[in-house]
Amino acid sequence: MQHTITALVENKPGVLARVAGLFARRGFNIESLAVSITEDPSVSRMTIVVGGDDAVLEQITKQLNKLIDVIKVVDYKGIPIVERELALIKVNADAGVRSEIMQIVDIFRAKIIDVSEKTFTVEVTGSVDKINAIEKLLESYGIKEVVRTGRIAMMRGAKTP
Amino acid sequence: MKITGAQALVESLRREGVEVIFGFPGGVMLPIYDCLYDCKDIRHILVRHEQGAAHAADGYARATGRVGVCFATSGPGATNLVTGIATAYMDSIPIVAITGQVRTTALGKDSFQEADITGITMPITKHNFLVKNSKDVPEVVAEAFHIARTGRPGPVLIDMPMDVSLGVIDYKPVTNVDIPSYKPNTVGHPLQIKKAAKLIASAERPVIYAGGGVISSGASPELLELSERTNILVTTTLLGKGAFPETHPNSLGMLGMHGTAYANYAVAHCDLLIAIGARFDDRVTGKLDAFAQKAKVIHIDIDPAEIGKTVHVDVPIVGDCKLVLQDLLKYVEPRQPTSWNEQVMKWKAEYPLHYGENGLLPQYVIEKIWEVTNGEAVVATGVGQHQMWAAQFYKCKYPRQFLSSGGLGTMGFGFPAGIGAKVGRPNDIVFVIDGDGSFQMTLQELIVAVENKIAVKVAILNNQYLGMVRQWQELFWNRRYAGVDIAAQPDFVKLAEAYGAVGMRIEKKEQVVDALKKSLEYDDVPVIMDFHIEREENVFPMIPAGQSIEEMMVRRPK
Ligand SMILES: Cc1ncc(C[n+]2csc(CCOP(=O)(O)OP(=O)(O)O)c2C)c(N)n1
């Protein structure tokens, strides 16, 4: 089971190491992790996608909360959220397949942001499923490199954690 | 006022009420040591190994309830603290460890005596700080003490680069600590507390299982009141020893692997287990799915992460044990002893702790230590068989009377912890009940006790084995005693004398009481008593690791 949780943390050196270390030593599995500052520059937000059942998740949230630099942890389970991920995909694009690829890119409302003689670099944002789907379609042309940001999430509506 | 970071550090410690520091210097600590030279309010005790400093600070904290403080230099000094910090962490003991560090400009460059001690201690501290700026010193110290002693207590480390110590700041004392991301919840939820009271009223076979949290929160009077009002019997963990007087008729002593048979029977058969400041450690529960199977569980703990970590809890109450018990007592009705009490008392009479008659036995020595000290001594232990015998036979009357490394099980803890305890409580008798193996791990601190006239009494229960490991080999590894024979050992009497301490060797039962009484006559020098006990005596009862009460051995299997 995958869960998305978000942790607001003090924007201080070492905080990422504390969080990563906690996951490693307690045997929790990070599927993806995205970190950035928030509207308040003294606070960073970590969006963490983790695997595990409810009991594991409960331990993760409680243990995270115990870290002194962690201000707040919210488990998004059961809360309506929008989730996005961004991926850059460098795909082989010989002359013969360029238009095919451009069609795929169109359908996924992605963008070609860099072109070379032999490759396209495609930028796509969306849900994890969407990114997986386009990645799968592009695979047949030969993917040279994929970079994904990891998931970020936000509650729907006016509410904030 | 313009002062250096080092002066700000020492001044901040003084303001925290620190009266003693256990430490060992080095190059990058010189600015700080130089301030100690002038500081009249803080006593510095120079240990002979930094592990000793950490354990002494820990023993001081356990015995007094105040925050213990230790100093070490960068690199090897800091890494030598690690075992002591981990010991304190596992047992939730408040200490503040201050380490020197290379200059901030040299950080991360593999400089001479650089060790990433904040990185190393991240998993074994409640929190740690690398101070990058001299002006942060007062705030960091205030936060460190606040974090160490509040909530679930624990060790905090402050790493002080040399240039941070030297830098000049405009010093203003910190009077108020506010860490927005750290607000421990101390008051239990009223609804949960009422629920707990209801469960207690309806339980037929309740048992209280009390741990170190009762001691750290000072909840012993409330626990006593709860047990006396309801006649609910009380068992404690190793760290909970003294949370409830073991001389009280409602006491069942310690539970778990080497707990009393009757405590373990009571827990196995109870229908309500009231866990207070305890964490269901595997040395307590054994096989989890067989532990307290018939019981509903009330769990009171300051640390939310402990609740539901290993066992299912019916009524969780997050809060300070003392405050929660005070609230709970508002709802709990008096209750007469029941047939359940009778049943447990029958077990108590049927399966008492017992030991043999012949030879010099460790249990006898401990009983005599109890008698000559009237059960009033502070007892620190090493780790091994002697620790378990001490737990079984030294019946504690008070909290902060029994100092032992429970969570980490650190051999070598006892002697330096005993020194720390005696420094914090100079008017109490401090006995270290040690193993010959454990004592040899930190005996270099003997000169510290002699030099500073710290009159601890060390009773070495000398079986010339790493006894607890030998016991496991005897019981589970076909008596193949690999790597446990430590008959090659110093003459502890001569050793004591070489250091300027008093040494005694005791080889016969008849000599025990006289030797112990004699030891009490020395109040300005440590006494080392080398008790040559039966080599292959075992600790019973024993529930083998990971097993259930069905597998309990009450004596040596034939
Ligand atoms: C630092 C450390 N190393 C190893 C162990 C494993 N260990 C647990 S008990 C024990 C034997 C202790 O021997 P001793 O101190 O002589 O006490 P005894 O069991 O004989 O009473 C050992 C080696 C430990 N707990 N701590």
Side-chain angles (χ1 to χ4, degrees):
Chain A
M1 263 278 268
Q2 278 199 349
H3 294 265
T4 306
I5 55 183
T6 180
L8 292 172
V9 303
E10 300 280 349
N11 184 11
K12 282 186 187 161
V15 178
L16 181 59
R18 285 180 205 281
V19 171
L22 172 74
F23 275 76
R25 78 177 164 272
R26 298 222 176 239
F28 304 144
N29 210 2
I30 302 186
E31 314 258 349
S32 91
L33 170 66
V35 191
S36 65
I37 58 162
T38 61
E39 64 284 356
D40 173 353
S42 71
V43 175
S44 295
R45 178 191 300 280
M46 296 188 176
T47 308
I48 312 169
V49 180
V50 293
D53 58 20
D54 284 356
V56 171
L57 201 79
E58 186 179 324
Q59 264 301 301
I60 292 178
T61 15
K62 284 175 168 176
Q63 294 292 350
L64 274 176
N65 263 316
K66 267 174 78 167
L67 295 178
I68 307 292
D69 290 333
V70 170
I71 301 163
K72 186 165 192 182
V73 182
V74 178
D75 173 7
Y76 280 142
K77 191 182 175 191
I79 298 176
I81 51 173
V82 280
E83 280 187 289
R84 287 292 180 272
E85 185 168 357
L86 183 146
L88 299 178
I89 304 172
K90 189 171 288 181
V91 60
N92 286 331
D94 291 331
V97 296
R98 289 202 169 206
S99 59
E100 271 178 51
I101 294 178
M102 283 160 78
Q103 267 184 5
I104 294 175
V105 167
D106 250 9
I107 295 170
F108 279 86
R109 271 181 274 162
K111 264 191 259 168
I112 294 169
I113 54 165
D114 190 40
V115 183
S116 75
E117 271 166 32
K118 296 216 165 98
T119 60
F120 281 160
T121 299
V122 178
E123 175 198 306
V124 55
T125 22
S127 70
V128 175
D129 288 346
K130 174 174 162 186
I131 291 170
N132 289 346
I134 187 170
E135 199 182 319
K136 189 124 193 285
L137 280 173
L138 293 178
E139 249 167 31
S140 55
Y141 304 98
I143 290 179
K144 293 180 76 82
E145 191 180 358
V146 177
V147 182
R148 296 171 66 150
T149 56
R151 235 179 280 181
I152 56 171
M154 193 178 261
M155 286 185 192
R156 286 185 182 278
K159 266 181 48 185
T160 56
Chain B
M1 190 172 50
K2 294 257 189 247
I3 60 175
T4 65
Q7 286 170 322
L9 173 77
V10 172
E11 178 58 19
S12 305
L13 294 176
R14 215 181 53 82
R15 286 183 169 268
E16 291 294 337
V18 174
E19 52 168 18
V20 60
I21 293 164
F22 302 91
F24 200 92
V28 293
M29 285 297 276
L30 288 178
I32 298 170
Y33 271 81
D34 194 62
C35 301
L36 287 182
Y37 194 77
D38 298 320
C39 180
K40 298 285 163 274
D41 300 342
I42 302 181
R43 177 177 178 200
H44 178 269
I45 293 183
L46 177 64
V47 296
R48 296 301 187 268
H49 183 297
E50 291 86 350
Q51 183 185 352
H55 289 327
D58 176 327
Y60 173 89
R62 291 185 205 235
T64 63
R66 299 194 286 269
V67 178
V69 179
C70 57
F71 276 10
T73 193
S74 66
T79 55
N80 272 350
L81 288 178
V82 166
T83 301
I85 294 172
T87 302
Y89 181 72
M90 289 294 275
D91 291 347
S92 308
I93 304 302
I95 64 172
V96 170
I98 293 164
T99 48
Q101 182 56 281
V102 300
R103 288 169 186 269
T104 49
T105 46
L107 274 173
K109 303 205 169 110
D110 307 312
S111 310
F112 177 64
Q113 295 197 328
E114 178 185 3
D116 173 13
I117 197 63
T118 45
I120 290 169
T121 58
M122 217 172 255
I124 52 165
T125 48
K126 184 171 171 186
H127 195 57
N128 61 25
F129 298 88
L130 169 59
V131 191
K132 288 266 185 72
N133 215 313
S134 310
K135 72 171 173 29
D136 296 339
V137 169
E139 196 177 359
V140 165
V141 174
E143 288 188 4
F145 276 81
H146 177 68
I147 290 168
R149 68 176 147 231
T150 55
R152 179 179 184 169
V156 177
L157 180 137
I158 304 173
D159 202 18
M160 286 280 289
M162 173 96 159
D163 52 334
V164 171
S165 291
L166 292 171
V168 175
I169 63 166
D170 201 4
Y171 173 77
K172 263 196 249 59
V174 174
T175 46
N176 183 31
V177 182
D178 178 47
I179 310 171
S181 56
Y182 174 71
K183 299 268 184 259
N185 199 6
T186 54
V187 182
H189 195 286
L191 272 180
Q192 297 295 80
I193 289 174
K194 277 185 202 158
K195 254 199 215 162
K198 252 197 193 149
L199 259 188
I200 291 171
S202 64
E204 282 172 16
R205 304 185 306 281
V207 173
I208 293 170
Y209 147 52
V214 173
I215 293 173
S216 54
S217 82
S220 296
E222 288 77 11
L223 177 59
L224 185 65
E225 159 99 51
L226 178 66
S227 172
E228 289 192 334
R229 192 190 298 174
T230 60
N231 286 294
I232 299 178
L233 305 172
V234 181
T235 178
T236 74
T237 65
L238 182 71
L239 289 191
K241 266 179 73 72
F244 188 80
E246 295 184 285
T247 43
H248 194 285
N250 286 0
S251 169
L252 302 176
M254 182 174 78
L255 83 166
M257 179 179 276
H258 292 296
T260 63
Y262 42 94
N264 285 323
Y265 284 135
V267 169
H269 292 94
C270 69
D271 69 350
L272 177 64
L273 188 63
I274 308 165
I276 312 176
R279 62 182 176 88
F280 298 87
D281 176 68
D282 52 272
R283 282 292 186 266
V284 161
T285 62
K287 189 174 172 189
L288 262 183
D289 39 8
F291 177 74
Q293 262 176 323
K294 305 171 185 124
K296 288 231 154 72
V297 175
I298 298 171
H299 191 180
I300 304 170
D301 204 288
I302 186 88
D303 181 359
E306 284 307 339
I307 288 174
K309 187 177 79 178
T310 51
V311 302
H312 172 78
V313 174
D314 299 276
V315 182
I317 306 176
V318 176
D320 179 83
C321 294
K322 188 180 184 75
L323 299 181
V324 171
L325 288 185
Q326 280 172 355
D327 284 344
L328 184 63
L329 283 167
K330 293 179 195 151
Y331 305 106
V332 171
E333 301 286 331
R335 180 171 166 284
Q336 292 312 305
T338 63
S339 58
W340 165 243
N341 293 55
E342 253 169 60
Q343 169 65 66
V344 181
M345 287 304 144
K346 234 162 95 191
W347 286 325
K348 199 169 169 175
E350 234 170 289
Y351 305 100
L353 290 168
H354 63 94
Y355 59 92
E357 297 281 316
N358 300 325
L360 178 52
L361 292 176
Q363 302 92 331
Y364 175 83
V365 176
I366 294 167
E367 283 194 335
K368 293 301 151 189
I369 295 176
W370 195 92
E371 284 171 25
V372 301
T373 58
N374 230 331
E376 301 277 329
V378 173
V379 172
T381 79
V383 168
Q385 292 180 310
H386 63 280
Q387 175 191 31
M388 292 299 121
W389 287 317
Q392 292 176 334
F393 290 92
Y394 201 94
K395 306 254 178 276
C396 292
K397 302 187 200 169
Y398 316 108
R400 306 198 177 281
Q401 199 185 353
F402 194 81
L403 323 177
S404 196
S405 167
L408 199 65
T410 309
M411 287 174 67
F413 170 79
F415 181 47
I419 290 176
K422 182 73 180 167
V423 169
R425 289 167 60 172
N427 299 326
D428 287 302
I429 296 172
V430 175
F431 253 92
V432 178
I433 297 179
D434 222 340
D436 43 324
S438 292
F439 183 60
Q440 288 185 76
M441 283 205 165
T442 45
L443 67 73
Q444 75 282 349
E445 305 307 336
L446 196 41
I447 195 63
V448 177
V450 172
E451 178 191 9
N452 294 284
K453 303 190 185 338
I454 301 167
V456 292
K457 330 275 175 215
V458 181
I460 303 173
L461 301 180
N462 189 347
N463 51 16
Q464 301 178 38
Y465 274 123
L466 299 174
M468 186 57 96
V469 179
R470 186 209 56 75
Q471 174 169 344
W472 285 46
Q473 287 170 331
E474 176 189 328
L475 297 174
F476 313 117
W477 296 86
N478 237 342
R479 308 183 66 103
R480 290 155 59 87
Y481 293 166
V484 291
D485 192 318
I486 51 168
Q489 56 183 213
D491 179 328
F492 286 110
V493 176
K494 281 194 189 150
L495 183 92
E497 287 165 356
Y499 273 96
V502 176
M504 306 178 192
R505 178 169 304 115
I506 301 94
E507 285 164 325
K508 292 203 189 68
K509 204 172 172 175
E510 301 74 57
Q511 303 168 321
V512 170
V513 174
D514 283 349
L516 290 172
K517 282 192 177 149
K518 182 121 202 285
S519 81
L520 295 180
E521 291 168 12
Y522 298 94
D523 56 10
D524 59 355
V525 58
V527 181
I528 310 298
M529 287 159 276
D530 182 17
F531 291 92
H532 278 240
I533 60 167
E534 289 298 313
R535 290 197 77 191
E536 299 201 14
E537 182 65 9
N538 283 342
V539 184
F540 291 116
M542 175 177 197
I543 302 175
Q547 303 203 16
S548 70
I549 191 163
E550 318 273 296
E551 269 70 45
M552 180 164 62
M553 302 177 224
V554 285
R555 56 178 57 80
R556 191 175 243 135
K558 288 272 152 21

